[in-house]
Amino acid sequence: IYEITVEKGEIVEEGDYLVALNNVVESQTAQSLKDTRDAAQRDLELYVENYESNKNAVGGNDEYEISKRKYEELLSKAEAAYQAQLESLNKTYLYAPFHGKIIDIYAEEGWTALSGSTIIKIANENKKIFEIELDQEDFEFLKIDQEVEITLDAYDTEVFTGKVLEIPSYVNQEAGSD
């Protein structure tokens, strides 16, 4: 991880730049492809410079144009490969997928991030989901889409409103339910 640009608790907008991953292999490949593109550009320029005014030296106008087109195609191919690699390199930057709040940062600059690992957790505070545990006797009082009010000790004066999205059809033995 090369750079982390946000802090825990910060509000971010969709598309905000969050993290840069330093991918050495991708960077080196991009530099190599840039060098190849630059060499192809120099070869085309040198060919034109040397033979445009003396096309007979390469077999006449038709031969000159055919060779020039080959140099142009090599340059075009090298440019396409370089641009594709740059696009791949851009994928090593992480951006906020939606408006939200940085809930936690699980890594630090200088750390190695493994593919699929969580670096930052973002929450959309406009869509809160509460998971609660109920005694089995209380299940009969809940229905899907039922309007509910939720109060939390951490928010003394706030009452959250919402609706029941899901009622599991199993017992969670780890929670101590019967």
Side-chain angles (χ1 to χ4, degrees), residues 10 29 98 114:
E10 187 175 334
T29 301
F98 51 82
L114 301 176

Side-chain angles (χ1 to χ4, degrees), residues 1 13 17 35 38 40 51 56 62-63 65 75 82 86 91 102 109-110 112 141 146 150-151 154 157 165 177:
I1 297 173
E13 297 298 325
Y17 166 60
D35 293 344
D38 292 347
Y51 299 110
N56 288 334
D62 288 345
E63 289 300 318
E65 290 299 327
L75 174 60
Y82 174 56
L86 286 180
K91 292 180 181 169
I102 303 297
E109 291 178 5
T112 299
F141 299 114
Q146 177 182 349
I150 300 170
T151 58
T157 60
L165 298 176
S177 301

Side-chain angles (χ1 to χ4, degrees), residues 33-102:
L33 290 171
K34 180 183 181 296
D35 293 344
T36 301
R37 189 243 3 227
D38 292 347
Q41 177 70 41
R42 283 190 303 274
D43 288 346
L44 172 61
E45 290 169 356
L46 187 61
Y47 180 80
V48 170
E49 182 181 314
N50 287 335
Y51 299 110
E52 187 171 38
S53 61
N54 187 10
K55 296 175 184 171
N56 288 334
V58 290
N61 191 51
D62 288 345
E63 289 300 318
Y64 169 80
E65 290 299 327
I66 289 170
S67 292
K68 180 181 171 192
R69 193 169 336 135
K70 286 180 184 177
Y71 281 110
E72 289 169 342
E73 288 170 0
L74 287 172
L75 174 60
S76 177
K77 185 177 178 181
E79 179 67 28
Y82 174 56
Q83 292 301 323
Q85 184 63 29
L86 286 180
E87 190 61 35
S88 176
L89 188 59
N90 283 338
K91 292 180 181 169
T92 58
Y93 294 94
L94 303 180
Y95 300 92
F98 51 82
H99 168 85
K101 182 177 183 178
I102 303 297

